[in-house]
Coordinates of all heavy atoms in Angstrom, one line a residue:
S158 N 47.7 -97.3 -6.5 CA 48.9 -97.9 -6.8 C 50.0 -96.9 -7.3 O 51.2 -97.2 -7.3 CB 48.8 -98.9 -8.0 OG 48.2 -98.3 -9.1
I159 N 49.6 -95.6 -7.6 CA 50.6 -94.7 -8.1 C 50.9 -93.6 -7.0 O 51.7 -92.7 -7.2 CB 50.2 -94.1 -9.4 CG1 48.9 -93.2 -9.2 CG2 50.1 -95.1 -10.5 CD1 48.7 -92.3 -10.5
Y160 N 50.3 -93.8 -5.8 CA 50.5 -92.8 -4.7 C 51.5 -93.4 -3.8 O 51.6 -94.5 -3.5 CB 49.1 -92.6 -4.0 CG 48.3 -91.5 -4.7 CD1 47.7 -91.7 -5.9 CD2 48.1 -90.3 -3.9 CE1 46.9 -90.7 -6.5 CE2 47.2 -89.3 -4.5 CZ 46.6 -89.6 -5.8 OH 45.9 -88.6 -6.2
T161 N 52.2 -92.3 -3.1 CA 53.0 -92.7 -1.9 C 52.0 -92.6 -0.8 O 51.2 -91.8 -0.7 CB 54.1 -91.5 -1.8 OG1 55.1 -91.6 -2.8 CG2 54.7 -91.7 -0.3
M162 N 52.1 -93.6 0.0 CA 51.4 -93.8 1.2 C 52.3 -93.7 2.5 O 53.4 -94.0 2.4 CB 50.7 -95.2 1.3 CG 49.8 -95.5 0.2 SD 48.4 -94.4 0.0 CE 47.5 -94.5 1.6
A163 N 51.6 -92.9 3.5 CA 52.5 -92.6 4.7 C 51.7 -92.7 5.9 O 50.4 -92.6 5.9 CB 53.0 -91.2 4.5
W164 N 52.3 -93.0 7.0 CA 51.8 -93.0 8.3 C 52.4 -91.9 9.1 O 53.7 -91.6 9.0 CB 52.0 -94.2 9.1 CG 51.2 -95.4 8.5 CD1 51.6 -96.4 7.6 CD2 49.8 -95.7 8.8 NE1 50.5 -97.2 7.5 CE2 49.5 -96.9 8.2 CE3 48.9 -95.1 9.7 CZ2 48.3 -97.5 8.3 CZ3 47.6 -95.7 9.8 CH2 47.3 -96.8 9.2
Y165 N 51.6 -91.0 9.6 CA 51.9 -90.0 10.6 C 51.4 -90.3 12.0 O 50.5 -91.0 12.1 CB 51.5 -88.6 10.1 CG 52.2 -87.9 8.9 CD1 51.9 -88.5 7.6 CD2 53.1 -87.0 9.1 CE1 52.6 -87.8 6.5 CE2 53.9 -86.4 8.0 CZ 53.6 -86.9 6.8 OH 54.3 -86.3 5.8
R166 N 51.9 -89.7 12.9 CA 51.4 -89.7 14.2 C 51.5 -88.3 15.0 O 52.4 -87.5 14.8 CB 52.0 -90.8 15.1 CG 53.5 -90.5 15.4 CD 54.0 -91.7 16.1 NE 55.5 -91.5 16.5 CZ 56.3 -92.4 17.0 NH1 55.9 -93.7 17.2 NH2 57.5 -92.1 17.3
Q167 N 50.6 -88.2 15.9 CA 50.5 -86.9 16.6 C 50.2 -87.3 18.1 O 49.2 -87.7 18.6 CB 49.4 -86.0 16.2 CG 49.4 -84.7 16.9 CD 48.5 -83.7 16.3 OE1 47.6 -84.0 15.6 NE2 48.7 -82.5 16.7
P168 N 51.5 -87.2 18.8 CA 51.3 -87.6 20.2 C 50.7 -86.5 21.0 O 50.6 -85.4 20.5 CB 52.8 -87.6 20.7 CG 53.6 -87.8 19.5 CD 52.8 -87.1 18.5
P169 N 50.0 -86.8 22.2 CA 49.2 -85.8 22.9 C 50.2 -84.6 23.3 O 51.3 -84.7 23.8 CB 48.9 -86.5 24.1 CG 49.8 -87.7 24.3 CD 50.0 -88.1 22.9
G170 N 49.7 -83.4 22.9 CA 50.4 -82.3 23.2 C 51.6 -82.0 22.3 O 52.4 -81.0 22.6
N171 N 51.7 -82.7 21.2 CA 52.9 -82.5 20.3 C 52.4 -82.4 18.8 O 51.2 -82.6 18.5 CB 53.9 -83.7 20.4 CG 54.7 -83.7 21.7 OD1 54.3 -84.4 22.5 ND2 55.7 -82.9 21.8
Q172 N 53.3 -82.0 18.0 CA 53.0 -81.9 16.5 C 53.0 -83.1 16.0 O 53.5 -84.2 16.3 CB 54.1 -81.0 15.9 CG 54.2 -79.6 16.4 CD 53.0 -78.7 16.2 OE1 52.5 -78.5 15.0 NE2 52.4 -78.1 17.2
R173 N 52.2 -83.2 14.7 CA 52.2 -84.4 14.0 C 53.6 -84.6 13.3 O 54.2 -83.6 12.8 CB 51.1 -84.2 12.8 CG 50.8 -85.5 12.1 CD 49.6 -85.2 11.2 NE 49.9 -84.2 10.2 CZ 48.9 -83.7 9.5 NH1 47.6 -84.0 9.8 NH2 49.1 -82.7 8.6
E174 N 54.0 -85.9 13.2 CA 55.3 -86.2 12.6 C 55.1 -87.5 11.8 O 54.4 -88.3 12.1 CB 56.3 -86.5 13.8 CG 55.9 -87.7 14.7 CD 56.8 -87.9 15.8 OE1 57.8 -87.1 15.9 OE2 56.6 -88.9 16.4
L175 N 56.1 -87.5 10.8 CA 56.1 -88.6 9.9 C 56.6 -89.9 10.6 O 57.6 -89.8 11.3 CB 57.0 -88.4 8.8 CG 57.1 -89.6 7.7 CD1 55.8 -89.8 6.9 CD2 58.2 -89.1 6.8
V176 N 55.9 -91.0 10.5 CA 56.4 -92.3 11.0 C 57.0 -93.1 9.8 O 58.3 -93.5 10.1 CB 55.3 -93.1 11.6 CG1 55.8 -94.4 12.1 CG2 54.5 -92.3 12.7
A177 N 56.4 -93.2 8.8 CA 57.0 -94.0 7.6 C 56.2 -93.6 6.4 O 55.1 -93.2 6.4 CB 56.9 -95.5 7.9
S178 N 56.9 -93.8 5.3 CA 56.3 -93.7 4.0 C 56.7 -94.7 3.1 O 57.8 -95.2 3.2 CB 56.4 -92.3 3.4 OG 57.8 -92.1 3.0
L179 N 55.9 -95.0 2.0 CA 56.2 -96.0 1.1 C 55.6 -95.6 -0.2 O 54.5 -95.6 -0.5 CB 55.6 -97.4 1.5 CG 55.7 -98.6 0.4 CD1 57.1 -98.8 0.1 CD2 55.1 -99.7 1.0
A180 N 56.6 -95.3 -1.2 CA 56.2 -94.8 -2.5 C 55.8 -95.9 -3.4 O 56.1 -97.2 -3.1 CB 57.3 -94.0 -3.1
H181 N 55.2 -95.7 -4.5 CA 54.7 -96.7 -5.4 C 55.8 -97.5 -6.0 O 55.6 -98.7 -6.3 CB 53.8 -96.1 -6.6 CG 54.5 -95.4 -7.6 ND1 55.1 -94.2 -7.5 CD2 55.0 -95.9 -8.8 CE1 55.8 -93.9 -8.6 NE2 55.7 -94.9 -9.5
D182 N 57.0 -96.9 -6.1 CA 58.3 -97.7 -6.6 C 59.0 -98.4 -5.5 O 60.1 -98.9 -5.8 CB 59.1 -96.7 -7.3 CG 59.8 -95.6 -6.4 OD1 59.5 -95.6 -5.2 OD2 60.6 -94.9 -6.9
G183 N 58.5 -98.4 -4.3 CA 59.2 -99.1 -3.3 C 60.0 -98.4 -2.3 O 60.6 -98.8 -1.4
T184 N 60.2 -97.1 -2.6 CA 61.1 -96.2 -1.8 C 60.4 -96.0 -0.4 O 59.2 -95.6 -0.3 CB 61.3 -94.7 -2.5 OG1 61.9 -94.9 -3.7 CG2 62.2 -93.9 -1.5
T185 N 61.2 -96.3 0.6 CA 60.7 -96.1 1.9 C 61.4 -95.2 2.7 O 62.6 -95.0 2.6 CB 60.7 -97.6 2.7 OG1 62.1 -98.0 2.9 CG2 59.9 -98.6 2.0
V186 N 60.7 -94.6 3.7 CA 61.4 -93.7 4.7 C 60.7 -94.1 6.1 O 59.6 -94.2 6.2 CB 61.0 -92.3 4.4 CG1 61.5 -91.3 5.7 CG2 61.7 -91.8 3.1
H187 N 61.5 -94.3 7.0 CA 61.1 -94.5 8.5 C 61.9 -93.5 9.4 O 63.1 -93.3 9.2 CB 61.5 -95.9 8.9 CG 60.7 -96.9 8.2 ND1 61.0 -97.6 6.9 CD2 59.6 -97.7 8.7 CE1 60.3 -98.4 6.6 NE2 59.3 -98.5 7.5
T188 N 61.1 -92.9 10.2 CA 61.7 -92.0 11.1 C 62.7 -92.8 12.1 O 62.4 -93.9 12.4 CB 60.7 -91.1 11.9 OG1 61.2 -90.2 12.7 CG2 60.0 -92.1 12.9
D189 N 63.6 -92.1 12.5 CA 64.7 -92.8 13.3 C 64.2 -93.5 14.6 O 64.6 -94.5 14.9 CB 65.9 -91.9 13.7 CG 66.8 -91.4 12.6 OD1 66.7 -92.0 11.6 OD2 67.5 -90.4 12.7
S190 N 63.2 -92.9 15.2 CA 62.7 -93.5 16.5 C 62.0 -94.8 16.3 O 61.7 -95.5 17.3 CB 61.9 -92.4 17.1 OG 60.7 -92.2 16.3
V191 N 61.7 -95.2 15.0 CA 60.9 -96.3 14.7 C 61.6 -97.4 14.0 O 61.2 -98.5 13.8 CB 59.5 -96.1 14.2 CG1 58.7 -95.1 15.0 CG2 59.6 -95.7 12.7
K192 N 62.8 -97.0 13.5 CA 63.5 -98.0 12.7 C 63.9 -99.2 13.4 O 64.3 -99.2 14.5 CB 64.9 -97.3 12.2 CG 64.7 -96.2 11.2 CD 65.9 -95.5 10.6 CE 65.8 -94.5 9.6 NZ 66.9 -93.8 9.2
G193 N 63.7 -100.3 12.8 CA 63.9 -101.5 13.5 C 62.7 -102.1 14.2 O 62.8 -103.3 14.6
R194 N 61.7 -101.3 14.4 CA 60.6 -101.7 15.2 C 59.2 -101.6 14.4 O 58.4 -102.5 14.5 CB 60.4 -100.8 16.4 CG 61.5 -100.8 17.4 CD 61.2 -100.2 18.7 NE 60.8 -98.6 18.4 CZ 59.7 -98.1 18.7 NH1 58.7 -98.8 19.3 NH2 59.6 -96.8 18.5
F195 N 59.2 -100.6 13.5 CA 58.0 -100.5 12.7 C 58.3 -100.8 11.3 O 59.5 -100.6 10.8 CB 57.4 -99.1 12.7 CG 56.8 -98.6 14.1 CD1 57.0 -99.3 15.2 CD2 56.2 -97.4 14.1 CE1 56.4 -99.0 16.4 CE2 55.6 -97.0 15.4 CZ 55.8 -97.8 16.5
A196 N 57.4 -101.3 10.5 CA 57.5 -101.5 9.0 C 56.3 -101.2 8.3 O 55.2 -101.6 8.7 CB 58.0 -103.0 8.8
I197 N 56.4 -100.3 7.3 CA 55.4 -100.0 6.4 C 55.2 -101.0 5.2 O 56.3 -101.5 4.8 CB 55.4 -98.5 6.0 CG1 54.2 -98.1 5.3 CG2 56.7 -98.3 5.0 CD1 54.1 -96.6 5.0
S198 N 54.1 -101.3 4.8 CA 53.9 -102.1 3.6 C 52.6 -101.8 2.9 O 51.8 -101.1 3.5 CB 54.0 -103.6 4.0 OG 52.9 -104.1 4.8
R199 N 52.5 -102.3 1.8 CA 51.1 -102.0 1.0 C 50.8 -103.1 0.2 O 51.7 -103.9 -0.2 CB 51.3 -100.8 0.2 CG 52.4 -100.8 -1.0 CD 52.7 -99.5 -1.6 NE 51.6 -99.0 -2.3 CZ 51.4 -97.7 -2.5 NH1 52.5 -96.7 -2.3 NH2 50.5 -97.1 -3.1
D200 N 49.6 -103.3 0.0 CA 48.9 -104.2 -0.9 C 48.0 -103.6 -1.8 O 46.9 -103.1 -1.5 CB 48.1 -105.3 0.0 CG 47.6 -106.5 -0.9 OD1 47.6 -106.3 -2.2 OD2 47.3 -107.5 -0.3
N201 N 48.6 -103.3 -3.0 CA 47.9 -102.5 -4.1 C 46.6 -103.2 -4.5 O 45.7 -102.5 -5.0 CB 48.8 -102.3 -5.3 CG 49.9 -101.3 -5.0 OD1 49.8 -100.6 -4.0 ND2 50.9 -101.2 -5.8
A202 N 46.5 -104.5 -4.5 CA 45.3 -105.3 -4.9 C 44.2 -105.0 -4.0 O 43.0 -105.1 -4.3 CB 45.6 -106.7 -4.9
K203 N 44.5 -104.6 -2.7 CA 43.6 -104.3 -1.7 C 43.5 -102.9 -1.3 O 42.6 -102.5 -0.6 CB 43.9 -105.1 -0.4 CG 43.8 -106.5 -0.5 CD 44.1 -107.3 0.8 CE 44.0 -108.9 0.7 NZ 44.3 -109.6 1.9

């Protein structure tokens, strides 16, 4: 519950890149290429 959680991805032949992150306080970051298509969420109880 106190950690920022993030998703990264590594396409074939490319470097790993941030997709999205969600801090414990609700702060979110989404990379431009996925904005409007992807959404990060968390369930601290689970």
Side-chain angles (χ1 to χ4, degrees):
S158 62
I159 65 172
Y160 274 68
T161 289
M162 301 300 299
W164 288 97
Y165 285 80
R166 66 186 181 186
Q167 187 167 15
N171 291 99
Q172 299 295 307
R173 187 172 64 195
E174 63 182 3
L175 179 69
V176 177
S178 67
L179 174 55
H181 78 279
D182 66 355
T184 301
T185 61
V186 173
H187 293 80
T188 193
D189 287 344
S190 63
V191 309
K192 287 180 179 177
R194 299 189 299 120
F195 293 8
I197 189 171
S198 62
R199 64 194 295 163
D200 186 339
N201 288 342
K203 297 181 178 179

